[in-house]
Amino acid sequence: MRLRLIFLPLITFALFACSSSAPPSRYSQEHDSIPSRLPTPDELIEPEPRVEPPSRGGNRTYTLFGQTYNIIPDARGFSEEGLASWYGEKFHGHLTSNGETYDMYAMSAAHKTLPLPTYVRVTNLANQRSVVVRVNDRGPFHSNRIIDLSYVAAYKLGMLANGTARVRVEALHPENTNQQLALTTPLADAGQYYVQVVASSDLQRSRETADQLAATYDVPATTQLKNGLHAVLLGPFAATETDQMLQRLRDAGLEGVFRVPVTP
């Protein structure tokens, strides 16, 4: 469930995407849905945490369904574990709680009480995959879920099939003592690679191959247009993981696989 906040000078109004009072024409879809395409390699690149001023919108105390939510004044040291969900096509292009536009292909997230924006690392506790996202929205307001991830973040965490996952959320602040944690995996750094498996002129076939490889090897997979062909790419990986992935593919009889450096 999404929350959209509109703040006026003297009175605070709350508009809730899933409430009965929401305008019926706000969204073109009644239910959320998965996008029709996979993320591109560029969309899988995580943001590098940086110091940002608080957003002008979305950082005030608010009340929903009789519960009041107080915004955390300082997220340094913040950490929690709980259930994560994700949101996609239905909300794509609509305003987030801090007045930005939601992009399901951007590494972003919604949280009930973290300051907007806050950079956090989210780790899927089932497979230990992690992703850095920028919190710019409010939610989720459903059951015991603690964070709502963008489609591309959920894809990278390997949680799309189940829809939810138990995760650890850690706030990142590059100006304090957890700077190393905050900057461990920006994907544009040297030593990050995709593994190209095959290339085809048939986009649908390439997408199907990417889906099959993602399911078989439990890694992110996507397609990219290169020289008129649709390349199937796995990753991105660190250098050591790239070598391991190449060996696994070759052991499975896939010849001609090779690494592709991640570019900014």
Side-chain angles (χ1 to χ4, degrees):
M1 183 180 296
R2 311 269 16 91
L3 169 66
R4 302 290 180 267
L5 301 181
I6 298 177
F7 295 107
L8 298 181
L10 298 178
I11 305 174
T12 301
F13 293 89
L15 300 181
F16 309 115
C18 297
S19 71
S20 59
S21 61
S25 61
R26 179 173 176 80
Y27 301 109
S28 59
Q29 296 179 214
E30 181 179 358
H31 303 291
D32 202 2
S33 62
I34 194 168
S36 58
R37 69 169 177 85
L38 295 173
T40 66
D42 286 345
E43 289 163 345
L44 289 170
I45 296 176
E46 301 170 29
E48 181 174 325
R50 60 189 179 90
V51 179
E52 293 188 48
S55 300
R56 297 184 65 182
N59 277 316
R60 299 183 185 179
T61 297
Y62 61 96
T63 300
L64 176 63
F65 301 142
Q67 182 171 349
T68 298
Y69 297 91
N70 295 304
I71 308 306
I72 299 170
D74 188 341
R76 283 176 290 188
F78 177 87
S79 179
E80 67 176 336
E81 293 186 6
L83 201 63
S85 50
W86 65 275
Y87 58 127
E89 188 83 44
K90 177 178 178 179
F91 305 97
H92 184 69
H94 290 273
L95 292 181
T96 63
S97 293
N98 72 343
E100 297 175 354
T101 300
Y102 173 62
D103 181 355
M104 60 186 172
Y105 291 105
M107 293 288 182
S108 66
H111 191 276
K112 301 181 188 71
T113 57
L114 280 171
L116 304 182
T118 297
Y119 290 87
V120 298
R121 182 182 300 282
V122 182
T123 302
N124 185 338
L125 298 179
N127 58 20
Q128 295 305 306
R129 291 190 196 174
S130 69
V131 64
V132 174
V133 295
R134 180 176 176 269
V135 178
N136 67 347
D137 206 357
R138 291 289 171 225
F141 300 99
H142 184 279
S143 185
N144 62 338
R145 299 174 189 176
I146 64 170
I147 194 167
D148 227 356
L149 299 166
S150 65
Y151 161 72
V152 70
Y155 173 86
K156 195 166 183 182
L157 287 178
M159 56 175 282
L160 291 179
N162 293 330
T164 60
R166 185 163 182 81
V167 300
R168 180 185 306 111
V169 178
E170 301 167 283
L172 304 178
H173 293 270
E175 80 279 13
N176 69 13
T177 55
N178 71 350
Q179 182 176 9
Q180 183 176 0
L181 173 65
L183 302 178
T184 49
T185 59
L187 298 185
D189 282 358
Q192 296 285 339
Y193 301 92
Y194 296 102
V195 172
Q196 180 167 327
V197 180
V198 68
S200 169
S201 60
D202 188 331
L203 176 58
Q204 183 59 35
R205 181 176 180 182
S206 294
R207 287 175 173 172
E208 292 173 354
T209 300
D211 288 340
Q212 292 169 359
L213 290 169
T216 300
Y217 293 99
D218 192 28
V219 296
T222 188
T223 61
Q224 183 180 31
L225 186 62
K226 299 174 64 177
N227 300 320
L229 298 177
H230 301 282
V232 177
L233 304 176
L234 306 185
F237 308 106
T240 301
E241 294 173 323
T242 303
D243 292 338
Q244 294 172 348
M245 191 73 247
L246 287 168
Q247 190 59 53
R248 290 178 66 188
L249 294 169
R250 288 164 180 159
D251 289 345
L254 294 173
E255 300 295 334
V257 294
F258 60 93
R259 68 175 64 197
V260 179
V262 174
T263 56

